[in-house]
Amino acid sequence: MKTTKHERSNYRKFLKMNLDRISFLLFVVVAIAFTGCDDDETVSLPETRTGEVTDITGEDAVVSGIVTSNGGSKILAMGICWAAGDAEPTIEDNFTAAGEFTKDGILETDWDYSVTLKGLSIKTDYKARAYASNEAGTAYGETISFTSKAGKTYHALTSDMIETHVQEPSEGPKEGLIDSDPGTYWHSAWSVAGATLPAHIQINFAEEKSIGGFNFMTRFTGKNGNDSGQFDVQTSNDGVNFTTVWESDEIIDALTRPDVNVIALDKNYSSKYFRIRILNTRSRTGTCTHMSELEVFEDGMLPY
């Protein structure tokens, strides 16, 4: 059968249109295949390793980590995750992030890091491991185990357990030391003839206790010349005859209320009777002193 010129022209147009469609479809298929292969080859989970745990206390610990490969994509997050007990930690548990995120992800200069895990409980078993995330997901390093230390044990104080050296009659009773109110205070005598430093706060326990340090707040929210400037600690077997067992540096530049000053002794001392003596004031010339709050503790991180 012979075809007309018009029919042959229409056929060529039809063939060309379909060839264009076929070419486009082939291009899409090849592009998808190529892209898929490229993703499989170049984008994967990052690789990270967990380092060591150091500086363990009753409240925190330092753990290191390192990212060894970004998996072909930007590092979006990294750090250390941890959990108490036997559970394998994930970022759904506690975590501390490391590195600073930029438009290029976390830069390689930050990939080797150490972070401090805070808010730990005393005498508790923990597991920790490094994590790193990119667009493919989150990968984890090896799991390490550690146990937090004992921390501080605070001894309850009541007013009948406390004696103070030459109390100022007009202000600052001893109850102000232990009422958990920073606005109240204790004041040694300034209106009594002959009263001077050192001034002491004596604690009489019903049984032998161990003390490794004490916390105190100043009376004022700003610096005052009569703030405590130097301490020592004395112990006694009978509550009458005392022996000095520890002395602080000459001047302690005390933080002002409401900040708490933590005074750590060189070890835990055991006794039924203790005296915390204020030897000197910030001004070094004061004859009296004052204090807002006082707490004493046994320190589980110190030797006996």
Side-chain angles (χ1 to χ4, degrees):
M1 175 183 294
K2 291 184 178 181
T3 59
T4 66
K5 182 177 181 181
H6 178 70
E7 289 173 333
R8 288 194 299 272
S9 176
N10 285 341
Y11 178 76
R12 286 193 295 269
K13 289 179 181 180
F14 173 82
L15 182 62
K16 183 177 184 305
M17 181 177 63
N18 282 279
L19 284 173
D20 289 340
R21 289 176 179 174
I22 292 170
S23 298
F24 175 76
L25 289 173
L26 286 172
F27 171 81
V28 171
V29 170
V30 170
I32 291 174
F34 179 81
T35 302
C37 290
D38 183 64
D39 285 346
D40 290 341
E41 292 174 359
T42 62
V43 178
S44 59
L45 288 175
E47 296 177 9
T48 183
R49 295 202 309 266
T50 310
E52 61 179 354
V53 56
T54 59
D55 299 328
I56 303 170
T57 72
E59 301 173 346
D60 50 48
V62 176
V63 182
S64 60
I66 185 171
V67 176
T68 56
S69 171
N70 65 2
S73 179
K74 297 176 182 179
I75 294 296
L76 304 176
M78 65 184 191
I80 303 294
C81 57
W82 77 96
D86 295 328
E88 287 293 294
T90 72
I91 55 175
E92 299 300 318
D93 300 303
N94 303 295
F95 69 90
T96 298
E100 181 179 354
F101 185 77
T102 72
K103 64 181 179 63
D104 298 316
I106 298 176
L107 302 182
E108 190 171 354
T109 52
D110 292 336
W111 288 3
D112 191 347
Y113 60 88
S114 293
V115 297
T116 300
L117 315 184
K118 294 184 177 294
L120 305 181
S121 300
I122 63 172
K123 297 182 181 178
T124 302
D125 295 330
Y126 286 96
K127 288 188 174 181
R129 57 179 176 172
Y131 70 87
S133 302
N134 65 7
E135 64 181 40
T138 299
Y140 295 94
E142 307 86 348
T143 300
I144 58 174
S145 300
F146 67 94
T147 301
S148 58
K149 293 188 177 180
K152 297 178 175 65
T153 300
Y154 287 87
H155 300 305
L157 300 178
T158 58
S159 60
D160 60 344
M161 297 167 59
I162 295 177
E163 299 176 23
T164 60
H165 168 74
V166 195
Q167 170 68 47
E168 169 55 37
S170 64
E171 63 172 332
K174 65 183 181 179
E175 287 79 9
L177 288 169
I178 56 171
D179 60 1
S180 300
D181 181 359
T184 62
Y185 60 93
W186 162 73
H187 207 303
S188 71
W190 52 266
S191 66
V192 178
T196 186
L197 298 179
H200 69 250
I201 301 165
Q202 180 170 324
I203 303 170
N204 305 316
F205 289 108
E207 58 186 14
E208 186 175 277
K209 299 287 186 180
S210 292
I211 289 181
F214 55 94
N215 299 342
F216 78 93
M217 284 189 192
T218 62
R219 173 186 174 185
F220 296 105
T221 57
K223 293 182 178 180
N224 182 274
N226 286 331
D227 289 338
S228 301
Q230 185 181 16
F231 295 97
D232 72 13
V233 172
Q234 297 182 325
T235 60
S236 172
N237 294 324
D238 56 12
V240 178
N241 302 295
F242 283 82
T243 301
T244 300
V245 295
W246 174 88
E247 185 174 312
S248 75
D249 294 336
E250 183 181 358
I251 292 293
I252 296 174
D253 190 14
L255 302 173
T256 57
R257 178 169 67 86
D259 290 325
V260 176
N261 295 274
V262 181
I263 307 301
L265 310 186
D266 59 328
K267 68 175 188 176
N268 288 295
Y269 291 94
S270 295
S271 184
K272 187 176 177 181
Y273 304 97
F274 287 90
R275 279 182 178 175
I276 297 173
R277 296 201 307 169
I278 298 90
L279 307 179
N280 213 332
T281 61
R282 186 193 296 271
S283 68
R284 301 194 187 194
T285 60
T287 58
C288 63
T289 189
H290 37 63
M291 184 183 294
S292 174
E293 293 292 306
L294 176 70
E295 298 175 305
V296 295
F297 57 82
E298 178 181 351
D299 195 336
M301 293 175 287
L302 291 175
Y304 282 91

Short mmCIF file of all heavy atoms in Angstrom, two decimals, residues 19-75:
data_model
loop_
_atom_site.label_atom_id
_atom_site.label_comp_id
_atom_site.label_asym_id
_atom_site.label_seq_id
_atom_site.Cartn_x
_atom_site.Cartn_y
_atom_site.Cartn_z
N LEU A 19 9.95 9.49 20.30
CA LEU A 19 11.37 9.34 20.58
C LEU A 19 11.82 10.35 21.63
O LEU A 19 12.65 10.03 22.50
CB LEU A 19 12.19 9.50 19.29
CG LEU A 19 12.16 8.31 18.34
CD1 LEU A 19 12.86 8.67 17.04
CD2 LEU A 19 12.82 7.09 18.98
N ASP A 20 11.29 11.57 21.55
CA ASP A 20 11.62 12.58 22.56
C ASP A 20 11.16 12.15 23.94
O ASP A 20 11.86 12.31 24.94
CB ASP A 20 10.98 13.93 22.20
CG ASP A 20 11.64 14.58 20.99
OD1 ASP A 20 12.80 14.19 20.69
OD2 ASP A 20 11.02 15.48 20.41
N ARG A 21 9.96 11.54 23.98
CA ARG A 21 9.45 11.06 25.26
C ARG A 21 10.30 9.92 25.80
O ARG A 21 10.64 9.87 26.99
CB ARG A 21 8.00 10.60 25.10
CG ARG A 21 7.01 11.74 24.89
CD ARG A 21 5.63 11.20 24.66
NE ARG A 21 4.64 12.26 24.49
CZ ARG A 21 3.38 12.06 24.15
NH1 ARG A 21 2.96 10.81 23.93
NH2 ARG A 21 2.55 13.07 24.01
N ILE A 22 10.65 9.02 24.93
CA ILE A 22 11.47 7.89 25.33
C ILE A 22 12.84 8.37 25.82
O ILE A 22 13.36 7.91 26.84
CB ILE A 22 11.63 6.90 24.16
CG1 ILE A 22 10.28 6.24 23.88
CG2 ILE A 22 12.68 5.85 24.49
CD1 ILE A 22 10.25 5.44 22.60
N SER A 23 13.41 9.34 25.14
CA SER A 23 14.71 9.87 25.55
C SER A 23 14.63 10.52 26.92
O SER A 23 15.52 10.35 27.77
CB SER A 23 15.21 10.90 24.52
OG SER A 23 15.40 10.28 23.28
N PHE A 24 13.54 11.26 27.16
CA PHE A 24 13.37 11.91 28.45
C PHE A 24 13.21 10.89 29.58
O PHE A 24 13.82 11.00 30.63
CB PHE A 24 12.16 12.85 28.41
CG PHE A 24 11.83 13.48 29.74
CD1 PHE A 24 12.60 14.52 30.23
CD2 PHE A 24 10.79 13.00 30.52
CE1 PHE A 24 12.32 15.09 31.46
CE2 PHE A 24 10.51 13.57 31.73
CZ PHE A 24 11.28 14.62 32.22
N LEU A 25 12.40 9.86 29.33
CA LEU A 25 12.20 8.83 30.33
C LEU A 25 13.51 8.09 30.63
O LEU A 25 13.82 7.77 31.78
CB LEU A 25 11.12 7.84 29.87
CG LEU A 25 9.69 8.40 29.86
CD1 LEU A 25 8.75 7.39 29.22
CD2 LEU A 25 9.23 8.74 31.26
N LEU A 26 14.28 7.79 29.58
CA LEU A 26 15.57 7.15 29.78
C LEU A 26 16.51 8.01 30.61
O LEU A 26 17.23 7.54 31.49
CB LEU A 26 16.21 6.82 28.44
CG LEU A 26 15.60 5.64 27.69
CD1 LEU A 26 16.20 5.54 26.29
CD2 LEU A 26 15.83 4.35 28.46
N PHE A 27 16.47 9.33 30.36
CA PHE A 27 17.30 10.26 31.13
C PHE A 27 16.93 10.25 32.61
O PHE A 27 17.79 10.21 33.49
CB PHE A 27 17.15 11.69 30.56
CG PHE A 27 17.80 12.74 31.41
CD1 PHE A 27 19.17 12.97 31.33
CD2 PHE A 27 17.05 13.50 32.30
CE1 PHE A 27 19.78 13.92 32.11
CE2 PHE A 27 17.66 14.45 33.07
CZ PHE A 27 19.02 14.66 32.99
N VAL A 28 15.61 10.25 32.91
CA VAL A 28 15.15 10.24 34.30
C VAL A 28 15.59 8.96 34.99
O VAL A 28 16.08 8.97 36.11
CB VAL A 28 13.62 10.40 34.35
CG1 VAL A 28 13.12 10.16 35.77
CG2 VAL A 28 13.22 11.79 33.89
N VAL A 29 15.41 7.82 34.29
CA VAL A 29 15.79 6.54 34.87
C VAL A 29 17.28 6.49 35.18
O VAL A 29 17.72 6.09 36.25
CB VAL A 29 15.39 5.38 33.93
CG1 VAL A 29 16.00 4.08 34.41
CG2 VAL A 29 13.88 5.26 33.86
N VAL A 30 18.08 6.95 34.22
CA VAL A 30 19.53 6.96 34.41
C VAL A 30 19.93 7.90 35.54
O VAL A 30 20.79 7.57 36.38
CB VAL A 30 20.26 7.34 33.10
CG1 VAL A 30 21.73 7.58 33.37
CG2 VAL A 30 20.05 6.26 32.07
N ALA A 31 19.29 9.07 35.61
CA ALA A 31 19.61 10.05 36.65
C ALA A 31 19.28 9.51 38.03
O ALA A 31 20.06 9.65 38.98
CB ALA A 31 18.85 11.36 36.40
N ILE A 32 18.09 8.87 38.12
CA ILE A 32 17.71 8.30 39.41
C ILE A 32 18.67 7.20 39.81
O ILE A 32 19.14 7.12 40.95
CB ILE A 32 16.26 7.75 39.35
CG1 ILE A 32 15.28 8.92 39.22
CG2 ILE A 32 15.94 6.90 40.58
CD1 ILE A 32 13.84 8.49 39.01
N ALA A 33 19.00 6.34 38.84
CA ALA A 33 19.93 5.24 39.13
C ALA A 33 21.29 5.79 39.54
O ALA A 33 21.91 5.31 40.49
CB ALA A 33 20.06 4.34 37.90
N PHE A 34 21.74 6.80 38.82
CA PHE A 34 23.05 7.39 39.12
C PHE A 34 23.06 8.03 40.50
O PHE A 34 23.99 7.84 41.29
CB PHE A 34 23.41 8.44 38.06
CG PHE A 34 24.73 9.11 38.32
CD1 PHE A 34 25.92 8.49 37.98
CD2 PHE A 34 24.77 10.35 38.94
CE1 PHE A 34 27.13 9.10 38.24
CE2 PHE A 34 25.97 10.97 39.20
CZ PHE A 34 27.16 10.34 38.85
N THR A 35 21.97 8.78 40.80
CA THR A 35 21.88 9.44 42.10
C THR A 35 21.80 8.43 43.22
O THR A 35 22.45 8.55 44.26
CB THR A 35 20.64 10.37 42.16
OG1 THR A 35 20.74 11.31 41.10
CG2 THR A 35 20.56 11.09 43.50
N GLY A 36 21.00 7.39 43.00
CA GLY A 36 20.88 6.35 44.01
C GLY A 36 22.21 5.68 44.26
O GLY A 36 22.60 5.45 45.40
N CYS A 37 22.93 5.37 43.24
CA CYS A 37 24.25 4.74 43.41
C CYS A 37 25.20 5.67 44.13
O CYS A 37 25.96 5.26 45.00
CB CYS A 37 24.83 4.35 42.05
SG CYS A 37 23.94 2.98 41.26
N ASP A 38 25.12 6.96 43.78
CA ASP A 38 26.02 7.93 44.39
C ASP A 38 25.76 8.03 45.89
O ASP A 38 26.69 8.05 46.69
CB ASP A 38 25.84 9.30 43.72
CG ASP A 38 26.80 10.33 44.27
OD1 ASP A 38 28.00 10.16 44.09
OD2 ASP A 38 26.33 11.29 44.90
N ASP A 39 24.43 8.06 46.27
CA ASP A 39 24.10 8.12 47.68
C ASP A 39 24.60 6.89 48.42
O ASP A 39 25.13 6.98 49.52
CB ASP A 39 22.59 8.26 47.87
CG ASP A 39 22.11 9.67 47.55
OD1 ASP A 39 22.98 10.57 47.45
OD2 ASP A 39 20.91 9.86 47.42
N ASP A 40 24.40 5.74 47.82
CA ASP A 40 24.84 4.51 48.47
C ASP A 40 26.35 4.51 48.68
O ASP A 40 26.84 3.99 49.67
CB ASP A 40 24.43 3.29 47.62
CG ASP A 40 22.92 3.07 47.65
OD1 ASP A 40 22.29 3.60 48.57
OD2 ASP A 40 22.41 2.38 46.75
N GLU A 41 27.07 5.09 47.75
CA GLU A 41 28.52 5.04 47.80
C GLU A 41 29.12 6.13 48.68
O GLU A 41 30.18 5.94 49.27
CB GLU A 41 29.10 5.15 46.39
CG GLU A 41 28.80 3.93 45.52
CD GLU A 41 29.28 4.14 44.09
OE1 GLU A 41 29.81 5.23 43.79
OE2 GLU A 41 29.10 3.22 43.28
N THR A 42 28.45 7.27 48.81
CA THR A 42 29.10 8.40 49.45
C THR A 42 28.46 8.85 50.76
O THR A 42 29.10 9.54 51.53
CB THR A 42 29.14 9.61 48.50
OG1 THR A 42 27.79 10.00 48.19
CG2 THR A 42 29.89 9.26 47.23
N VAL A 43 27.20 8.52 51.03
CA VAL A 43 26.54 8.97 52.25
C VAL A 43 26.23 7.76 53.13
O VAL A 43 25.47 6.89 52.74
CB VAL A 43 25.25 9.74 51.95
CG1 VAL A 43 24.57 10.15 53.27
CG2 VAL A 43 25.56 10.97 51.12
N SER A 44 26.85 7.73 54.29
CA SER A 44 26.61 6.65 55.24
C SER A 44 26.69 7.24 56.64
O SER A 44 26.95 8.43 56.82
CB SER A 44 27.66 5.55 55.06
OG SER A 44 28.96 6.07 55.26
N LEU A 45 26.43 6.41 57.64
CA LEU A 45 26.53 6.90 59.01
C LEU A 45 27.96 7.35 59.32
O LEU A 45 28.91 6.76 58.81
CB LEU A 45 26.13 5.79 59.98
CG LEU A 45 24.65 5.42 60.04
CD1 LEU A 45 24.45 4.24 60.96
CD2 LEU A 45 23.81 6.60 60.51
N PRO A 46 28.11 8.35 60.14
CA PRO A 46 29.47 8.76 60.54
C PRO A 46 30.10 7.68 61.42
O PRO A 46 29.42 6.74 61.86
CB PRO A 46 29.23 10.05 61.32
CG PRO A 46 27.83 9.94 61.82
CD PRO A 46 27.07 9.18 60.78
N GLU A 47 31.37 7.82 61.67
CA GLU A 47 32.08 6.89 62.56
C GLU A 47 32.66 7.69 63.72
O GLU A 47 33.24 8.76 63.53
CB GLU A 47 33.20 6.17 61.80
CG GLU A 47 32.67 5.28 60.68
CD GLU A 47 33.79 4.62 59.89
OE1 GLU A 47 34.95 4.72 60.33
OE2 GLU A 47 33.50 4.03 58.85
N THR A 48 32.49 7.16 64.93
CA THR A 48 32.96 7.85 66.13
C THR A 48 33.48 6.84 67.13
O THR A 48 33.06 5.69 67.15
CB THR A 48 31.83 8.70 66.74
OG1 THR A 48 32.33 9.43 67.86
CG2 THR A 48 30.67 7.83 67.19
N ARG A 49 34.40 7.29 67.97
CA ARG A 49 34.95 6.44 69.02
C ARG A 49 34.81 7.14 70.37
O ARG A 49 34.92 8.37 70.46
CB ARG A 49 36.44 6.14 68.77
CG ARG A 49 36.70 5.32 67.52
CD ARG A 49 38.06 4.61 67.61
NE ARG A 49 39.14 5.50 67.97
CZ ARG A 49 39.94 6.11 67.07
NH1 ARG A 49 39.75 5.91 65.78
NH2 ARG A 49 40.91 6.92 67.47
N THR A 50 34.59 6.35 71.40
CA THR A 50 34.54 6.87 72.76
C THR A 50 35.94 6.80 73.36
O THR A 50 36.63 5.79 73.22
CB THR A 50 33.57 6.04 73.62
OG1 THR A 50 32.32 5.92 72.94
CG2 THR A 50 33.35 6.70 74.98
N GLY A 51 36.34 7.87 74.03
CA GLY A 51 37.66 7.91 74.66
C GLY A 51 37.62 7.40 76.08
O GLY A 51 36.95 6.42 76.39
N GLU A 52 38.26 8.13 76.99
CA GLU A 52 38.34 7.71 78.39
C GLU A 52 37.53 8.63 79.28
O GLU A 52 37.16 9.74 78.88
CB GLU A 52 39.80 7.69 78.84
CG GLU A 52 40.48 9.05 78.76
CD GLU A 52 41.93 8.99 79.24
OE1 GLU A 52 42.33 7.92 79.73
OE2 GLU A 52 42.62 10.00 79.13
N VAL A 53 37.24 8.14 80.48
CA VAL A 53 36.56 8.96 81.48
C VAL A 53 37.57 9.34 82.55
O VAL A 53 38.34 8.51 83.02
CB VAL A 53 35.35 8.21 82.07
CG1 VAL A 53 35.75 6.86 82.66
CG2 VAL A 53 34.64 9.06 83.13
N THR A 54 37.59 10.62 82.91
CA THR A 54 38.54 11.14 83.90
C THR A 54 37.82 12.09 84.84
O THR A 54 36.65 12.44 84.64
CB THR A 54 39.70 11.88 83.22
OG1 THR A 54 39.15 12.98 82.44
CG2 THR A 54 40.48 10.96 82.29
N ASP A 55 38.52 12.51 85.88
CA ASP A 55 38.04 13.53 86.81
C ASP A 55 36.64 13.21 87.34
O ASP A 55 35.74 14.05 87.35
CB ASP A 55 38.03 14.91 86.14
CG ASP A 55 39.41 15.34 85.69
OD1 ASP A 55 40.39 14.97 86.36
OD2 ASP A 55 39.52 16.04 84.67
N ILE A 56 36.46 11.98 87.80
CA ILE A 56 35.16 11.55 88.32
C ILE A 56 34.99 12.09 89.74
O ILE A 56 35.87 11.95 90.59
CB ILE A 56 35.06 10.02 88.34
CG1 ILE A 56 35.28 9.45 86.93
CG2 ILE A 56 33.71 9.57 88.87
CD1 ILE A 56 35.43 7.94 86.90
N THR A 57 33.85 12.72 90.00
CA THR A 57 33.49 13.16 91.35
C THR A 57 32.12 12.56 91.68
O THR A 57 31.63 11.67 90.99
CB THR A 57 33.43 14.69 91.44
OG1 THR A 57 32.26 15.17 90.74
CG2 THR A 57 34.67 15.33 90.84
N GLY A 58 31.50 13.06 92.72
CA GLY A 58 30.16 12.61 93.05
C GLY A 58 29.10 13.29 92.23
O GLY A 58 27.93 12.91 92.29
N GLU A 59 29.48 14.32 91.45
CA GLU A 59 28.50 15.10 90.71
C GLU A 59 28.76 15.18 89.22
O GLU A 59 27.86 15.49 88.44
CB GLU A 59 28.46 16.53 91.28
CG GLU A 59 28.10 16.58 92.75
CD GLU A 59 28.24 17.97 93.35
OE1 GLU A 59 28.86 18.83 92.67
OE2 GLU A 59 27.74 18.21 94.45
N ASP A 60 30.00 14.93 88.78
CA ASP A 60 30.29 15.04 87.36
C ASP A 60 31.47 14.16 86.97
O ASP A 60 32.14 13.58 87.82
CB ASP A 60 30.54 16.50 86.96
CG ASP A 60 31.53 17.20 87.86
OD1 ASP A 60 32.61 16.63 88.12
OD2 ASP A 60 31.25 18.32 88.31
N ALA A 61 31.72 14.08 85.67
CA ALA A 61 32.84 13.31 85.13
C ALA A 61 33.15 13.86 83.74
O ALA A 61 32.28 14.38 83.05
CB ALA A 61 32.50 11.83 85.05
N VAL A 62 34.42 13.74 83.34
CA VAL A 62 34.85 14.21 82.01
C VAL A 62 35.04 13.00 81.11
O VAL A 62 35.73 12.05 81.47
CB VAL A 62 36.17 15.00 82.11
CG1 VAL A 62 36.66 15.40 80.72
CG2 VAL A 62 35.96 16.25 82.98
N VAL A 63 34.41 13.02 79.93
CA VAL A 63 34.51 11.92 78.97
C VAL A 63 34.92 12.51 77.61
O VAL A 63 34.43 13.55 77.19
CB VAL A 63 33.18 11.16 78.81
CG1 VAL A 63 33.34 9.99 77.84
CG2 VAL A 63 32.69 10.67 80.17
N SER A 64 35.84 11.83 76.92
CA SER A 64 36.32 12.29 75.63
C SER A 64 35.74 11.44 74.50
O SER A 64 35.28 10.31 74.71
CB SER A 64 37.84 12.25 75.57
OG SER A 64 38.31 10.93 75.76
N GLY A 65 35.75 12.00 73.30
CA GLY A 65 35.28 11.30 72.11
C GLY A 65 35.95 11.87 70.88
O GLY A 65 36.57 12.93 70.93
N ILE A 66 35.83 11.14 69.77
CA ILE A 66 36.40 11.63 68.51
C ILE A 66 35.58 11.10 67.35
O ILE A 66 35.13 9.94 67.36
CB ILE A 66 37.88 11.19 68.37
CG1 ILE A 66 38.50 11.80 67.12
CG2 ILE A 66 38.03 9.68 68.39
CD1 ILE A 66 40.01 11.60 67.02
N VAL A 67 35.33 11.95 66.36
CA VAL A 67 34.69 11.54 65.11
C VAL A 67 35.80 11.21 64.12
O VAL A 67 36.67 12.04 63.85
CB VAL A 67 33.79 12.66 64.56
CG1 VAL A 67 33.21 12.26 63.21
CG2 VAL A 67 32.66 12.97 65.54
N THR A 68 35.78 9.99 63.59
CA THR A 68 36.84 9.55 62.68
C THR A 68 36.42 9.62 61.22
O THR A 68 37.25 9.57 60.32
CB THR A 68 37.28 8.12 63.02
OG1 THR A 68 36.13 7.26 62.97
CG2 THR A 68 37.89 8.07 64.41
N SER A 69 35.11 9.75 60.95
CA SER A 69 34.62 9.89 59.57
C SER A 69 33.26 10.54 59.60
O SER A 69 32.42 10.22 60.45
CB SER A 69 34.53 8.52 58.89
OG SER A 69 33.87 8.64 57.63
N ASN A 70 33.04 11.47 58.63
CA ASN A 70 31.73 12.11 58.56
C ASN A 70 30.73 11.34 57.70
O ASN A 70 29.59 11.76 57.54
CB ASN A 70 31.85 13.55 58.05
CG ASN A 70 32.35 13.63 56.62
OD1 ASN A 70 32.57 12.62 55.96
ND2 ASN A 70 32.54 14.85 56.14
N GLY A 71 31.14 10.20 57.12
CA GLY A 71 30.24 9.39 56.31
C GLY A 71 29.87 10.02 54.99
O GLY A 71 28.90 9.62 54.34
N GLY A 72 30.63 11.03 54.56
CA GLY A 72 30.34 11.69 53.29
C GLY A 72 29.31 12.79 53.41
O GLY A 72 28.76 13.24 52.40
N SER A 73 29.01 13.23 54.62
CA SER A 73 28.01 14.28 54.83
C SER A 73 28.43 15.15 56.00
O SER A 73 29.32 14.79 56.77
CB SER A 73 26.64 13.65 55.09
OG SER A 73 25.66 14.63 55.31
N LYS A 74 27.78 16.28 56.16
CA LYS A 74 28.10 17.18 57.26
C LYS A 74 27.82 16.52 58.60
O LYS A 74 26.83 15.80 58.77
CB LYS A 74 27.26 18.46 57.16
CG LYS A 74 27.50 19.30 55.93
CD LYS A 74 26.53 20.47 55.92
CE LYS A 74 26.71 21.33 54.66
NZ LYS A 74 25.74 22.45 54.63
N ILE A 75 28.67 16.78 59.59
CA ILE A 75 28.40 16.35 60.95
C ILE A 75 27.43 17.38 61.56
O ILE A 75 27.76 18.55 61.71
CB ILE A 75 29.68 16.26 61.79
CG1 ILE A 75 30.57 15.14 61.26
CG2 ILE A 75 29.35 16.00 63.27
CD1 ILE A 75 29.98 13.75 61.36
#
